[in-house]
Amino acid sequence: MYDKLWLIPFFPLIGSIINGLLGKRFIKSEKAIGAIGTGAVFLSFLVTCRYFFQLLGDTEKVHQQVVASWMSVGKLQVDWGFLFDPLSALMLMVVCGVGSLIHLYSIGYMHGEEGFYRYFSYLNLFIFSMIMLVLGNNALVMFIGWEGVGLCSYLLIGYYFEKQSAGDAAKKAFVMNRVGDFGFLLGLFTIFWTLGSHGIWTVNFVDFSEHGHLLGVGSTVVTVATLCFFLGATGKSAQLPLYTWLPDAMEGPTPVSALIHAATMVTAGVYMIGRMNVLFAMSPTTMGVVAAVGAATAIFAASIGFAQNDIKRVLAYSTVSQLGFMFVAMGVGAFTAGIFHLMTHAFFKACLFLGSGSVIHAMHHALHHAHLDDDPQDMRNMGGLRKHMPVTWATFGISCLAIAGLPFFAGFFSKDEILWWAFASTRGSLVVWGIAAFAAGMTAFYMFRCLYMTFYGKQKTDPKAKDHVHESPWVITLPLVVLAGLATVGGFVGVPHAIDVVHIGNKLDAFLAPVFHHTQELYQIEAHGAASTEIMLMVFSVVVALIGIGIATTMYLKNPELPAKFTSTFSRLHRVVFNKWYVDEIYDAMFVNTTKQFGNFCWKFFDVKIVDGIVNGVGKVVNVLSAGLRHTQTGLFQNYALAMVLGTVVMVAIYILN
Amino acid sequence: MINTVDTLPAFPWLSLMVFLPLSGALLCLLHTRSERDCRWLGLTVAVATFGIAIWLFLSQQPNASGWFCVEDIEWIGRFSIRYNLAMDGIALVMVLLTTFLQIVSMLLAWPVRRHVGLFFALLLILESGLLGIFLAQDLILFYLFWEVALIPMFFLIGIWGHNRRHEAALKFFLYTLAGSLFMLLAIIGLYVIHGDQTGHYSFLISDLARTELTLRQEYLLFGGFLAAFAIKSPLVPFHTWLPDALSEAPAVGSLDLTGLLIKTGVYGLIRIAFPLFPNATSECLPIFGTFALVALFHAGWCAYHQDDIKRLLAYSSISHLGLVVLGLAAWTFTAWQGSLLLMVSHGITTGALLAMVAMIRQRIATRNLQKLSGLWAQAPCLSALFLLFALASLGLPGLANFSGEILVLIGTFQTRPIWAIMGIAGVVFAAAYMLRLIQRVLWGEPTQAEVADLSPREWLILIPLAILTVWLGIYPATFLKPLETPVLLALGGLP
């Protein structure tokens, strides 16, 4: 029985309300607020676990629970309903599991902040929205979560609201997400009415899967609709061309970046494609676009990651790039691989972000102690932190190995499965594979650059602050250790057949089969090739990763003067990359400013000059005409009464004439 | 069948509802010396009126053609003007909104210090006028209430308004008067034509709807009504009175103006213009749609550039009303349901925001976005509620406006996909100006030394509004249900 599914979103919602309403005045104690917030998510995690394991043993894999009706207008019937199947179960495990750890971490990280209660209230509200997004059994409930996570992201990016830059970044994130939402709604409307014209009136995902074929394989309407949905995904998951908000989103507190802008919310686009895999698979065009955009984003964002000095920004571009990998997977039909990478990425990227948070936390306190206002996030002020922060260093290092894809860390399995599918799938292509493999090498380079600049070499922190850098407390390091552990062993749930010498089997593939296999069989999506080819490719990508690491080692560990030489030789290129290819400036010039100017025109010219001009003209004429009446009647009310009388006279006159 | 027989129910609830505020107003005027009594009298009457509306909602069952209650007696026999009040689902929803918002208005008007008796009397007269507009089925009666609702608003702006109140009142007056006169002419014209045709003179909408008109006549008369309704709604390009009137009106006046008075324009379209002139209507729908889209975008763009919060909200209202009219022009069941729901949601959310603007102004003495900043640091409760209403207004799912907007857009997509696409884009743009508002008011460095958080009276105003905002978002069925039959009937005449 799956009749208590509503408990999963219920706990964080209640947690959010309690902390939000009572936190400031009544609870006050940080410990209590933190316990309520973390406990609420942990309870959801427990309920999810219970159902997850129940689902493992169940033969029936798709379960729906309808709580109440939401809207019922004509043909449109929308319920508050939940859908629990392997896909949402896995996603919920990630959201609630990683979510609990990050809540715990936040207790330490946010210690002493003024809006502590507000932070936990938002964070719980975020988890609630994310659960609605994942668990909703129809597109509109998903949309509630979809916008809800956007809102919480907005609130949390702008958490330090006294800072102008934080407010701007928050606004940018929201508006860009809204552009994506435009696509989501449009896609939904198209599907709704087209399916309706075949007699299926529904917004329910299960019905989409069942009746999707009515739209016609490869038909224009399904291509248009899925492209619209994909536009929504590019907004939420920060893909080209709507990615620019994510790096700016780093204005928020670091645990927020880990939870929202790395592990969960930004993967919503990938999840959404997984949820509607039937529709996407029906349009090879859309799948091609998804793969192409994913590959382009992967390499483009990685290139920007080369030249950033802010530790969080490096990780942000890395996230954009890794999300690109997931979209490549979705685009070539490797749905399982995409979700697999989503999961492993949640482990190692959350660990990286939390690690960077631990570093920033330590740097901040050290600099604060020495009364310096150096930037605690600038890697040029770091270096040699390994000695001071051993746990942070070790976990950060492990995650770097995982993201670089070294065997047999978690990232190795998921990334190689994506690359294999890109190479061998019926929807794959050599070009996409090539770009993705190259981007993987770039990833290894910039992540190790980041690792070396932060933890190795000479400590470049101001001497006054140097010795005040300390390892963080256990609430911060415990989540790091757990996540690093997962980043190490998490990949073994998806061991590919080719190298499965001890026959553990690809557990993840088997688990997700009820969601994806039907589609893949129906539309002949499969990766075919010899096991030897697969192993060859694996060796190749490991070599590429090692080359990336090697270059980073040469440049940033062995010869620390090399990067400076390099940037001065290629100063122009460096400037362009450092300034993120000037994309923000181009967007400002093309869209933001023109829109603003046009708005000004609408108001200042059309409303004020034209419309009001005419009205005032009429007003003047009336004034002139009524000047004669002024002698006997003063003011406006009399005019008005006069008009009424005139009207009545006309009426009576007409009546009499008849 | 021409109805000449008086119909009177066991108890004339509708008349009681309409005239209770008016009698309250008379008491207020007679008793201006005690300000305290006037306030309490106003509030009591408003609550009692709301009570009647709720009671009617809960107890009455609609008959086959969707009417909950009908009161119909001869009034001025010589001109066959009848006193005919009737309530169907659409009217019911509008009546509920009106009576509810009037309670909010009374509470909001509490701090008024000048001519308190007159102020509350005008508010009550306004309520009577509005209820009359929503209930009258005889055009002369309708016209009368239409004017009755106009006059108090004129005085509210003219006497209690801000610095440029006279100018704004004049503009409001000129615009609306022009519109009303055209409507009056059209009413009389239609009356005459109908009388000539049937030999039976009547101002009843149901009778006049049976008049056989040439297309030319239809266009002319339709135009007359449209002048009044388009100005009141207000549709671009007849909208410029609203930002002025709203920014100069006192807090309560602006709440009633946006929350209720401009809804009468759309209501007039639905109740009178569309059913009386079906052919002209169906010809004009594409024009309506186009103008609605223009309004949606134009007002959205203008809103982005306003520094006065009230002007911003005025443009935001014009933009929202554009979406409402878009839904009507799409002429589908879903879109109409959405439009009507959106009218209610807009009344609640924008009304709440306007109330909050008044509260902010009492504390900081400015409405200028350039001067406001960092309110959250000082008044978190006030700010949290402001955020809630602003988010509802930008159409966040799960809050009030979204339910209406999504229905309008889905319904529009059915017949006019292009409109729907542009409609979604316009709704997306709403985020830009609302977020600017939020950012300027709530975030940033606080500029003032000390700002008090909400007082008990303000909590009392805002909590019901907040509850309704969430209610409309997650369970709109309460309000959609009574709309079903009348919307179906209204759409029945056309494809």
Side-chain angles (χ1 to χ4, degrees):
Chain A
M1 287 296 284
Y2 294 83
D3 52 356
K4 294 274 190 304
L5 282 175
W6 56 270
L7 279 175
I8 303 175
F10 175 75
F11 289 122
L13 181 65
I14 289 297
S16 168
I17 292 173
I18 291 176
N19 273 339
L21 292 183
L22 310 176
K24 191 185 168 77
R25 294 209 184 150
F26 299 103
I27 307 178
K28 285 178 190 158
S29 134
E30 278 193 9
K31 283 213 175 98
I33 291 171
I36 291 170
T38 313
V41 183
F42 192 68
L43 282 175
S44 292
F45 180 63
L46 290 181
V47 179
T48 312
C49 281
R50 185 197 175 282
Y51 284 124
F52 181 81
F53 289 112
Q54 191 175 337
L55 191 73
L56 282 179
D58 233 332
T59 42
E60 173 62 47
K61 295 291 188 189
V62 180
H63 301 273
Q64 293 194 66
Q65 186 201 1
V66 172
V67 180
S69 161
W70 177 13
M71 273 186 275
S72 151
V73 176
K75 300 283 195 232
L76 178 71
Q77 307 287 334
V78 191
D79 292 324
W80 291 102
F82 300 128
L83 168 62
F84 197 77
D85 68 349
L87 181 59
S88 54
L90 186 72
M91 192 75 183
L92 281 180
M93 291 292 280
V94 173
V95 169
C96 297
V98 176
S100 315
L101 289 173
I102 293 175
H103 273 71
L104 180 66
Y105 177 99
S106 300
I107 298 177
Y109 190 87
M110 300 304 287
H111 171 68
E113 293 281 351
E114 199 172 328
F116 195 81
Y117 78 99
R118 187 162 52 92
Y119 175 85
F120 272 91
S121 175
Y122 291 166
L123 214 56
N124 270 0
L125 188 64
F126 168 77
I127 295 282
F128 164 75
S129 307
M130 193 67 205
I131 292 172
M132 292 303 278
L133 190 161
V134 172
L135 208 51
N137 79 339
N138 64 66
L140 279 174
V141 174
M142 181 190 245
F143 192 67
I144 288 235
W146 189 264
E147 288 261 297
V149 291
L151 165 72
C152 297
S153 158
Y154 167 79
L155 293 171
L156 284 161
I157 296 169
Y159 176 74
Y160 298 113
F161 57 75
E162 291 92 351
K163 272 165 70 185
Q164 173 76 27
S165 58
D168 288 343
K171 194 165 87 171
K172 183 173 177 182
F174 202 108
V175 173
M176 280 210 147
N177 269 300
R178 274 243 148 174
V179 175
D181 296 342
F182 168 81
F184 189 105
L185 285 182
L186 209 52
L188 175 61
F189 292 178
T190 315
I191 299 285
F192 176 73
W193 287 110
T194 322
L195 273 183
S197 68
H198 292 93
I200 312 288
W201 298 97
T202 184
V203 287
N204 186 301
F205 290 128
V206 177
D207 295 334
F208 281 179
S209 303
E210 233 166 74
H211 304 286
H213 60 90
L214 291 174
L215 298 170
V217 181
S219 63
T220 320
V221 67
V222 82
T223 302
V224 169
T226 46
L227 280 177
C228 287
F229 277 122
F230 180 57
L231 178 65
T234 57
K236 195 61 68 194
S237 296
Q239 296 295 292
L240 285 172
L242 296 177
Y243 72 97
T244 57
W245 64 269
L246 184 59
D248 288 6
M250 297 299 127
E251 291 287 344
T254 309
V256 168
S257 314
L259 177 63
I260 301 185
H261 305 120
T264 53
M265 181 187 90
V266 288
T267 59
V270 181
Y271 175 79
M272 187 254 281
I273 295 183
R275 186 44 76 223
M276 300 192 201
N277 62 77
V278 177
L279 301 180
F280 276 83
M282 278 165 58
S283 169
T285 318
T286 306
M287 295 281 273
V289 171
V290 172
V293 169
T297 311
I299 196 165
F300 181 76
S303 78
I304 302 177
F306 277 18
Q308 301 300 313
N309 293 319
D310 182 318
I311 185 167
K312 282 182 76 183
R313 291 210 168 228
V314 174
L315 294 176
Y317 282 106
S318 161
T319 305
V320 175
S321 169
Q322 293 296 309
L323 288 164
F325 273 92
M326 296 175 211
F327 280 104
V328 168
M330 291 331 228
V332 299
F335 301 118
T336 310
I339 300 297
F340 187 19
H341 197 59
L342 185 161
M343 182 183 90
T344 58
H345 176 259
F347 299 151
F348 56 69
K349 187 53 68 60
C351 187
L352 286 168
F353 262 115
L354 295 183
S356 80
S358 173
V359 169
I360 295 165
H361 190 67
M363 286 293 292
H364 179 79
H365 280 275
L367 292 170
H368 188 70
H369 197 84
H371 306 292
L372 294 166
D373 44 345
D374 291 357
D375 184 356
Q377 298 186 196
D378 195 326
M379 293 190 294
R380 287 170 298 186
N381 294 333
M382 300 175 188
L385 294 182
R386 180 171 48 137
K387 297 185 291 287
H388 300 290
M389 314 183 71
V391 181
T392 308
W393 162 71
T395 51
F396 199 91
I398 289 172
S399 304
C400 279
L401 293 171
I403 196 175
L406 289 193
F408 293 86
F409 291 95
F412 167 75
F413 295 103
S414 55
K415 189 153 64 184
D416 274 320
E417 198 178 339
I418 293 176
L419 289 174
W420 166 242
W421 274 77
F423 180 83
S425 161
T426 42
R427 297 279 172 92
S429 89
L430 213 55
V431 181
V432 170
W433 172 79
I435 295 176
F438 190 69
M442 292 164 80
T443 308
F445 170 77
Y446 69 73
M447 283 315 301
F448 273 80
R449 169 183 177 266
C450 175
L451 180 71
Y452 292 145
M453 284 179 82
T454 312
F455 290 100
Y456 288 82
K458 234 177 56 208
Q459 190 172 1
K460 277 163 259 161
T461 321
D462 194 288
K464 274 184 275 178
K466 223 170 191 171
D467 297 323
H468 296 296
V469 181
H470 295 300
E471 184 58 276
S472 306
W474 72 271
V475 278
I476 291 189
T477 49
L478 176 70
L480 287 179
V481 172
V482 175
L483 286 169
L486 287 168
T488 314
V489 300
F492 285 97
V493 295
V495 180
H497 192 64
I499 57 165
D500 189 10
V501 280
V502 286
H503 302 288
I504 17 180
N506 194 333
K507 293 228 165 56
L508 190 75
D509 196 43
F511 180 63
L512 290 175
V515 189
F516 298 132
H517 272 199
H518 177 67
T519 315
Q520 288 171 333
E521 270 165 33
L522 202 60
Y523 302 106
Q524 285 102 37
I525 302 172
E526 54 180 343
H528 47 77
S532 56
T533 325
E534 194 173 349
I535 292 171
M536 286 268 294
L537 285 179
M538 272 181 205
V539 173
F540 177 77
S541 70
V542 171
V543 169
V544 169
L546 285 174
I547 293 173
I549 296 174
I551 299 175
T553 313
T554 323
M555 283 178 71
Y556 291 91
L557 195 61
K558 297 270 168 61
N559 310 302
E561 75 285 358
L562 254 184
K565 263 190 223 162
F566 188 81
T567 47
S568 59
T569 327
F570 300 99
S571 65
R572 193 171 293 173
L573 178 67
H574 178 260
R575 199 163 56 237
V576 172
V577 175
F578 179 74
N579 285 311
K580 306 161 276 182
W581 302 94
Y582 294 106
V583 173
D584 276 314
E585 286 76 6
I586 296 169
Y587 280 5
D588 273 353
M590 276 173 68
F591 303 112
V592 182
N593 293 344
T594 40
T595 311
K596 280 185 184 168
Q597 274 159 15
F598 190 70
N600 215 17
F601 166 83
C602 280
W603 174 40
K604 289 267 170 65
F605 184 75
F606 184 78
D607 272 21
V608 176
K609 287 259 161 62
I610 297 193
V611 179
D612 278 355
I614 293 172
V615 174
N616 291 341
V618 173
K620 274 182 197 138
V621 172
V622 170
N623 266 350
V624 172
L625 290 181
S626 61
L629 299 167
R630 287 255 167 85
H631 302 294
T632 50
Q633 292 174 323
T634 53
L636 305 157
F637 319 135
Q638 286 83 349
N639 281 358
Y640 186 79
L642 180 75
M644 284 283 281
V645 171
L646 276 178
T648 321
V649 169
V650 171
M651 197 173 83
V652 174
I654 289 174
Y655 177 74
I656 293 166
L657 287 178
N658 274 305
Chain B
M1 206 358 241
I2 292 154
N3 185 8
T4 47
V5 186
D6 293 354
T7 317
L8 258 186
F11 190 85
W13 286 108
L14 295 180
S15 301
L16 179 69
M17 193 161 66
V18 172
F19 290 105
L20 188 62
L22 204 60
S23 41
L26 286 178
L27 274 178
C28 268
L29 285 176
L30 292 174
H31 195 67
T32 40
R33 237 172 270 156
S34 166
E35 298 184 346
R36 199 175 144 273
D37 289 358
C38 288
R39 291 197 184 98
W40 281 102
L41 183 69
L43 184 62
T44 316
V45 170
V47 170
T49 319
F50 182 57
I52 298 174
I54 290 283
W55 190 83
L56 289 175
F57 175 43
L58 296 178
S59 67
Q60 303 297 87
Q61 291 302 319
N63 65 18
S65 39
W67 299 104
F68 284 86
C69 330
V70 180
E71 290 167 25
D72 182 18
I73 49 172
E74 191 171 59
W75 179 24
I76 305 175
R78 187 164 154 68
F79 301 109
S80 48
I81 299 171
R82 300 186 69 81
Y83 174 84
N84 185 330
L85 296 179
M87 183 167 80
D88 65 353
I90 301 177
L92 170 69
V93 169
M94 297 315 292
V95 162
L96 283 173
L97 178 71
T98 308
T99 49
F100 173 75
L101 278 186
Q102 272 321 101
I103 299 179
V104 174
S105 302
M106 296 297 164
L107 286 169
L108 195 63
W110 222 253
V112 168
R113 288 282 168 268
R114 275 197 310 137
H115 312 300
V116 176
L118 184 60
F119 193 91
F120 277 81
L122 287 173
L123 279 186
L124 289 168
I125 297 173
L126 178 66
E127 182 168 6
S128 281
L130 287 165
L131 291 175
I133 292 174
F134 294 133
L135 296 174
Q137 301 301 315
D138 182 286
L139 284 184
I140 290 300
L141 195 62
F142 177 85
Y143 184 78
L144 194 79
F145 282 123
W146 183 265
E147 303 298 356
V148 165
L150 181 64
I151 296 165
M153 185 52 71
F154 175 72
F155 283 107
L156 283 175
I157 300 174
I159 300 177
W160 287 270
H162 303 298
N163 294 339
R164 290 174 50 227
R165 57 179 178 269
H166 294 301
E167 206 178 310
L170 174 69
K171 200 167 178 182
F172 169 69
F173 175 79
L174 270 182
Y175 260 113
T176 335
L177 174 70
S180 313
L181 283 180
F182 281 114
M183 175 163 78
L184 183 61
L185 284 179
I187 290 175
I188 295 161
L190 187 62
Y191 170 77
V192 172
I193 294 173
H194 177 79
D196 284 349
Q197 233 169 51
T198 60
H200 168 82
Y201 287 88
S202 167
F203 281 107
L204 280 186
I205 299 171
S206 51
D207 288 341
L208 294 174
R210 281 190 289 265
T211 317
E212 283 176 23
L213 298 167
T214 65
L215 202 56
R216 217 178 91 86
Q217 285 171 323
E218 263 200 44
Y219 271 124
L220 273 175
L221 297 172
F222 186 60
F225 282 100
L226 199 58
F229 298 147
I231 287 173
K232 205 58 155 265
S233 303
L235 275 176
V236 173
F238 306 109
H239 64 288
T240 57
W241 64 268
L242 185 62
D244 284 343
L246 203 59
S247 60
E248 294 307 319
V252 186
S254 40
L255 187 144
D256 281 341
L257 196 57
T258 30
L260 302 169
L261 206 59
I262 62 173
K263 308 291 191 303
T264 58
V266 178
Y267 185 82
L269 285 177
I270 296 173
R271 185 45 37 99
I272 297 171
F274 290 165
L276 284 186
F277 313 105
N279 299 319
T281 302
S282 68
E283 295 287 321
C284 287
L285 285 180
I287 302 171
F288 271 111
T290 316
F291 274 84
L293 282 172
V294 170
L296 181 64
F297 278 95
H298 174 82
W301 269 314
C302 290
Y304 192 84
H305 287 270
Q306 304 304 317
D307 282 334
D308 180 342
I309 306 182
K310 272 196 179 176
R311 293 188 77 91
L312 189 151
L313 291 174
Y315 276 112
S316 149
S317 301
I318 298 167
S319 185
H320 276 109
L321 263 291
L323 200 61
V324 170
V325 175
L326 184 75
L328 296 181
W331 209 266
T332 62
F333 178 70
T334 315
W336 270 54
Q337 290 269 56
S339 288
L340 290 163
L341 191 64
L342 186 55
M343 282 218 280
V344 177
S345 325
H346 171 263
I348 301 286
T349 52
T350 309
L353 281 173
L354 282 165
M356 296 208 73
V357 171
M359 294 171 191
I360 292 172
R361 196 169 183 280
Q362 270 177 1
R363 289 166 166 78
I364 312 182
T366 182
R367 295 190 318 245
N368 192 322
L369 285 182
Q370 305 289 359
K371 292 182 187 154
L372 285 164
S373 178
L375 205 59
W376 195 297
Q378 293 162 323
C381 296
L382 185 145
S383 306
L385 282 168
F386 190 86
L387 182 68
L388 173 79
F389 295 124
L391 290 172
S393 181
L394 72 73
L396 193 81
L399 298 178
N401 285 27
F402 176 74
S403 321
E405 282 173 11
I406 191 92
L407 290 177
V408 167
L409 293 171
I410 284 192
T412 308
F413 196 84
Q414 184 183 9
T415 46
R416 313 263 184 182
I418 304 293
W419 290 3
I421 293 169
M422 298 182 68
I424 304 173
V427 171
V428 167
F429 193 73
Y433 63 79
M434 284 320 277
L435 288 178
R436 178 170 172 268
L437 172 69
I438 294 171
Q439 189 180 9
R440 285 288 162 84
V441 177
L442 303 185
W443 316 140
E445 293 276 2
T447 47
Q448 311 76 32
E450 194 88 354
V451 176
D453 216 330
L454 294 173
S455 72
R457 178 183 62 90
E458 290 166 337
W459 276 112
L460 196 62
I461 295 174
L462 295 175
I463 286 299
L465 287 166
I467 291 174
L468 266 179
T469 303
V470 176
W471 186 348
L472 279 161
I474 61 177
Y475 196 70
T478 325
F479 304 92
L480 288 172
K481 203 92 203 137
L483 295 174
E484 271 171 19
T485 319
V487 168
L488 273 178
L489 286 174
L491 292 175
L494 279 164

